[in-house]
Structure formats: structure tokens, C-alpha cells
Amino acid sequence: MTSDSRLSRELRIQQRHAELQARNGFWPWFWRAGAASFIDRWLVIHVVAGAALAYATTGKLSDIAVPASVPFTAILVGLAVAWSGNASALLQTPELQRVGAGDDGRATLFRIWVFQYQAAVLVILACTTAWALAAAGIFNNQLVTWLPWWLRMAGRAALFCFSCITVRECWQVVGAVQMKLLGQFELKRQERLLAGTQVDDTRKLAEKNK
């Protein structure tokens, strides 16, 4: 009976976890709010930069991707891993967990922070995969070469635009970690000031009672 009850409890926990994952997981958040966060005023600059790079570069994408994709991928993945590790360490601090929980005690803001870092890593992985496919020559396929030149140029511009967005995401991850680090320092400073004020008030009250 004890073994059956333990198994039943584990099944209920797994079912509850699956329900939470389906309702509050990354992909529901990404399609509701995460993808829309990339559509802002900076997108115009990315599109213009992508079109300019597509027009300025000549030759096949595979010829461009082979010498450029390896260092580009190494830099992006290195930044993503390093700063995501720093972000994970910061998000585990009690100060940011209190702020992320909010007044109602729910981890609404904290959940958004976690998913934003995950979305940045997703963009980096998608971009490096796209350039790896370009280096493999998939865009030189006969099916692609039969497309109109303007459509091929649009795809080329989209790839460069995607690269610009990826660089921006890397920078935003770095900036978000730095801002949370400064916020943690400010919260600790306020807590020290508050603790010092409470000690002074207690001491003054004790002296007055004497």
C-alpha cells in the first residue's frame, strides 16, 4: 500500500507539472508575448541593415558563410553561455527573487525574466543554424536558384537582418545582466540603510525609556 500510494503521489506531481508546463511554459509565453517583443522601432534599422548588407555583398552565401560562420558562431555562443550563466546566478539571489515575485507572491516578473533569457538563446541558436546551413550550400540548391532574383535577394536580406537581431539580443542579454547586478547592489544598500535606521530607532527608544 505504501509503495502504491507513493507511486500515485508521484504520478499526480508529474501530471501537475505537465499542466503547469502546458499553461506557463516557454512556448505559450513565446507565442503570446515573446515573439511580439522583437517587433519594435529597432526592427526598421535591422531591415535596412540587412538589405544594405545583402546588396553590398557579392557571391554565393556559402562562400560568405564558410569563413564568417565559425568565428561568428563561436563569439555568439560564448557570449550566450557566459552571460546566461551570470544571469542564472543573479536570478537565484534572494533580492531579485523578492522583486520578481511581486506583491502578490507570484513569480510573474521572475518568470518573464527567465523566458527572456531563454528567448535570446533561442535566437542565437536559430541564427547559427541558419548560417551553418548557408555554409553547407543549402541555399545554392537548384530549387532556390529557380526562384526570381528579387525573392532570392529578399531571403539574403532576411538572413543578414536575422544576424543583426541576434547581435542585438546578445547585447541585450549583457545589458540585462548588468542592470540586474546594479539593482541587486541597490537593494542590498537600501536594506542596510533600513536596518541601520531600525537599530538607531531601537537605541533611541531604549535611551528614552531609561
Side-chain angles (χ1 to χ4, degrees), residues 93-207:
T93 58
E95 294 83 11
L96 290 183
Q97 288 187 358
R98 284 198 300 270
V99 174
D103 297 333
D104 57 356
R106 295 185 177 183
T108 304
L109 182 58
F110 187 83
R111 176 170 159 269
I112 292 174
W113 288 344
V114 172
F115 287 161
Q116 284 176 342
Y117 287 121
Q118 188 173 353
V121 174
L122 175 64
V123 170
I124 293 169
L125 291 176
C127 182
T128 53
T129 302
W131 276 106
L133 292 174
I138 192 172
F139 297 114
N140 300 331
N141 188 281
Q142 291 182 354
L143 294 177
V144 177
T145 57
W146 287 346
L147 295 175
W149 70 269
W150 59 269
L151 192 57
R152 285 185 276 115
M153 184 61 69
R156 190 186 188 100
L159 183 59
F160 282 110
C161 175
F162 193 23
S163 302
C164 295
I165 294 175
T166 304
V167 172
R168 173 191 163 202
E169 282 300 300
C170 285
W171 176 249
Q172 286 188 333
V173 168
V174 175
V177 172
Q178 298 294 71
M179 291 303 297
K180 287 180 175 59
L181 183 62
L182 294 174
Q184 181 195 20
F185 175 81
E186 181 63 22
L187 286 172
K188 287 184 176 180
R189 188 184 69 85
Q190 292 178 3
E191 288 177 353
R192 287 195 299 267
L193 291 175
L194 181 61
T197 303
Q198 292 175 348
V199 169
D200 291 339
D201 292 342
T202 302
R203 178 172 51 82
K204 290 178 182 179
L205 182 61
E207 293 176 352

